[in-house]
Amino acid sequence: MHADILTDEALGFLSELARRFRPQIRACLADRQLAQQAFVAGAWPDFLPDTASLREGDWQVAPIPESLRDRRVELTGAPQRKTLINGLNAPVSGFMADFEDALCPVWNRVLDGQRNLRDAIAGSIEQRDADTGKVYRLSSTAWTLHLRPRGWHQWEKHLYVDGEPVPAALFDFGLYVFLNAQALMAQGRHVNLYLPKMQSHLEARLWSQVFAFAAEALDLPADRIRATILIETLPAVFQMHEMLYELRAHASALNFGRWGYIGSAIKCLGLQPGWTSPDRRNLSLEQDFLANPARLLQRTAHQRGALAIGSMSPAIPVKNDPDADAQARQRVRSDKLIEAGMGYDGSWVAHPGLVAEAQEPFDAVPGGTEQAASRQATGAPITRQDLLLRPVGEVTEAGFRNNISIAIQYLEAWISGQACVPLYNSAEDAASVEICRTQIWHWLHADGLRLADGREVTGELFTEVLAEEMDNIAAEVGDAEFAGGRFQKAAGLFAELCLAPTCAEFLSVPAYELLD
């Protein structure tokens, strides 16, 4: 079925990637576990003393290609055929095909995504709507495409090399570059990547080594591989200079993955005395808890000649409700005004219908698309203490219930094959739902944590609210859909993760085992 994608030559390349780099990936993952154990034992993240001279040194990343200098608004979505066509046709700076947070890694969907990307790059992609008969095709050749592979922590269980699974990051990157590098180069384009979930500069160094091997094996100039580094873990915030340095021949930008960062902060600091994560709706850039790492990212990126890209806005247009739609558009505009005011070069949206609201604030910034060259760091230095501030706000019953409801509905969709789910006028993906999951775990395990109404958050309260929210979901979706879905399986996994004595690194890892 996918013989045109998984050719013998492609499989040979993937096998070589796995053999060369799988041991190093395992070593990086072991280092992550050691760091997490230290955080649980009471350690706090800090800047690395051994790399102080690098942070203080005068160096920059390789010059940014012209095609990557204007990144005011980028659109992200799964590499599904219609989504990909619409994303590349949209009036945006680029489209990111997301194999990590927006695609459920069902084997056929992963391979279909690779085929869709190959066809899009070749210009032959099209999709006919079965209901309307409308045919979707590329209408522009002036597009910029980025690939986000899965993170180092994920494994592709459908492909084994020497009796062990292939790292999913190597599978996604390796197959993409093998199928498309020469075509992209012939068109004058680059192999553009978003690198997710890294926690240290050693993980960035590993990507640099992977790029060097791929470039040599595929006769691809090394400078044709360009990477945006996602800063979406708390440890990575303390190593941004080092990560850019390791990838200095390839790095074009840093991106603040705000939603992943919140989940990471909870996992690292959630058991520290007095550290509490409030309701998810209170966690915004108006809090120094998030604003300080966001400011440091902007300063670091521009100091090193890279761009600074903001977080995805999860809002989506609301049909048939003008007031709710206006509120969604204003949320996007307000969020991007903050990022533009911080000196960011651009940001993401989840829906093409909100591009205008996201772009307006960046259009108004002096310097336009040349911010990285013209806007240097200003203001007082951002210290370790500034990066470890506690978020402020209450934990309410409404926030507790909302997290449970969204997580159950999302997990049910995910284990049924869907990874980006519209819920209550927001596009929920794996990163945003990780906040729900880690917050519930944190609230259950923090000593004596109480809701705003005075009730202690206990396992009994969680079990009671979970049952009530399951009834509410059944009433909302209808008995037939509820019975035919996988809501009970989703609730069982969610309860297991939330009640476990330790916080699992990522919910997608155990959920992956429930995929057909």
Side-chain angles (χ1 to χ4, degrees):
M1 182 176 178
H2 292 94
D4 59 323
I5 299 295
L6 287 177
T7 63
D8 290 342
E9 294 80 7
L11 288 169
F13 180 68
L14 292 171
S15 297
E16 188 62 24
L17 279 174
R19 291 189 181 107
R20 283 175 176 263
F21 298 107
R22 189 166 47 198
Q24 294 162 258
I25 293 172
R26 292 194 185 281
C28 285
L29 296 178
D31 288 344
R32 284 188 187 183
Q33 292 301 314
L34 290 174
Q36 180 61 26
Q37 290 170 13
F39 297 142
V40 171
W44 292 74
D46 201 351
F47 296 102
L48 300 176
D50 294 343
T51 56
S53 61
L54 187 151
R55 291 192 298 276
E56 296 164 1
D58 184 13
W59 55 268
Q60 292 205 327
V61 301
I64 300 172
E66 186 63 32
S67 62
L68 294 176
R69 294 202 66 82
D70 180 358
R71 298 181 66 174
R72 283 170 289 177
V73 180
E74 293 180 343
L75 184 62
T76 177
Q80 296 167 339
R81 217 159 178 84
K82 182 178 175 181
T83 301
L84 185 55
I85 293 169
N86 288 339
L88 294 177
N89 284 338
V92 292
S93 306
F95 177 79
M96 186 189 75
D98 186 7
F99 281 78
E100 201 229 3
D101 282 341
L103 181 72
C104 184
V106 176
W107 181 233
N108 284 341
R109 295 194 180 189
V110 171
L111 295 179
D112 285 344
Q114 291 281 356
R115 176 182 285 144
N116 296 340
L117 290 169
R118 182 203 62 183
D119 292 350
I121 291 166
S124 61
I125 190 170
E126 67 174 41
Q127 175 75 7
R128 182 180 296 273
D129 190 298
D131 295 326
T132 66
K134 180 179 178 180
V135 178
Y136 294 83
R137 297 187 180 93
L138 289 181
S139 60
S140 171
T141 59
W143 45 261
T144 298
L145 177 64
H146 304 262
L147 172 82
R148 176 157 67 164
R150 285 169 282 180
W152 288 134
H153 61 283
Q154 296 171 300
W155 301 86
E156 182 46 76
K157 66 181 180 182
H158 298 94
L159 184 63
Y160 275 63
V161 172
D162 302 333
E164 295 184 67
V166 171
L170 296 183
F171 181 88
D172 295 342
F173 163 75
L175 191 53
Y176 177 72
V177 74
F178 183 87
L179 293 173
N180 302 299
Q182 293 303 320
L184 288 166
M185 190 166 61
Q187 297 169 12
R189 305 181 194 274
H190 293 76
V191 177
N192 299 316
L193 302 161
Y194 266 88
L195 304 179
K197 301 292 189 293
M198 289 191 288
Q199 296 192 19
S200 79
H201 70 291
L202 297 180
E203 297 180 25
R205 180 182 298 173
L206 179 54
W207 268 120
S208 184
Q209 294 168 349
V210 170
F211 294 163
F213 170 78
E216 182 177 357
L218 300 176
D219 194 24
L220 177 69
D223 63 0
R224 286 301 184 105
I225 301 177
R226 301 305 299 235
T228 295
I229 302 171
L230 277 151
I231 301 300
E232 51 185 338
T233 67
L234 179 60
V237 166
F238 290 87
Q239 298 187 40
M240 290 189 288
H241 288 277
E242 293 88 338
M243 294 169 82
L244 281 172
Y245 184 81
E246 295 292 349
L247 281 160
R248 61 193 180 279
H250 306 281
S252 58
L254 294 178
N255 173 278
F256 188 39
R258 193 189 315 168
W259 315 121
Y261 176 83
I262 293 170
S264 174
I266 295 169
K267 283 180 279 189
C268 293
L269 304 179
L271 296 182
Q272 302 288 16
W275 200 95
T276 302
S277 174
D279 286 1
R280 186 173 73 146
R281 63 183 175 83
N282 291 328
L283 295 173
S284 72
L285 287 175
E286 294 176 345
Q287 283 216 32
D288 286 339
F289 159 70
L290 284 178
N292 284 339
R295 292 187 187 103
L296 183 61
L297 183 147
Q298 180 270 333
R299 296 181 185 186
T300 304
H302 286 184
Q303 180 182 348
R304 302 306 180 186
L307 298 178
I309 311 298
S311 300
M312 184 187 79
S313 173
I316 55 178
V318 183
K319 295 181 179 179
N320 304 318
D321 189 337
D323 290 340
D325 185 66
Q327 292 172 11
R329 294 178 184 278
Q330 185 56 43
R331 284 199 303 274
V332 173
R333 188 179 292 108
S334 298
D335 189 57
K336 302 315 167 193
L337 276 169
I338 295 174
E339 290 178 334
M342 286 182 174
Y344 274 68
D345 301 287
S347 193
W348 293 1
V349 289
H351 195 284
L354 293 171
V355 170
E357 285 76 10
Q359 186 160 327
E360 287 174 11
F362 295 103
D363 285 345
V365 172
T369 62
E370 300 298 324
Q371 285 190 35
S374 63
R375 302 188 68 177
Q376 295 301 314
T378 58
I382 295 173
T383 66
R384 179 195 185 210
Q385 289 70 29
D386 294 328
L387 297 174
L388 295 174
L389 293 177
R390 293 169 171 83
V392 297
E394 295 180 320
V395 181
T396 68
E397 179 184 346
F400 190 72
R401 288 184 176 277
N402 185 255
N403 277 2
I404 292 173
S405 177
I406 286 177
I408 296 301
Q409 293 180 73
Y410 179 83
L411 270 176
E412 192 278 335
W414 199 93
I415 63 178
S416 301
Q418 186 179 358
C420 190
V421 185
L423 292 172
Y424 312 119
N425 301 333
S426 288
E428 302 288 356
D429 65 8
S432 58
V433 174
E434 278 284 18
I435 302 174
C436 300
R437 191 266 303 189
T438 54
Q439 280 194 324
I440 294 292
W441 182 90
H442 163 55
W443 294 340
L444 285 168
H445 291 82
D447 283 342
L449 190 142
R450 296 182 180 274
L451 298 177
D453 61 14
R455 285 178 294 165
E456 185 175 358
V457 179
T458 63
E460 291 76 15
L461 178 64
F462 169 75
T463 301
E464 175 186 329
V465 173
L466 175 62
E468 293 171 356
E469 288 305 312
M470 288 288 282
D471 289 340
N472 292 337
I473 293 170
E476 186 173 328
V477 304
D479 291 340
E481 182 175 339
F482 188 84
R486 306 184 72 183
F487 291 96
Q488 296 295 344
K489 185 77 72 174
L493 174 60
F494 184 64
E496 179 182 339
L497 290 171
C498 291
L499 295 171
T502 59
C503 187
E505 186 179 14
F506 295 104
L507 64 82
S508 58
V509 174
Y512 185 44
E513 300 306 316
L514 299 180
L515 294 180
D516 296 330

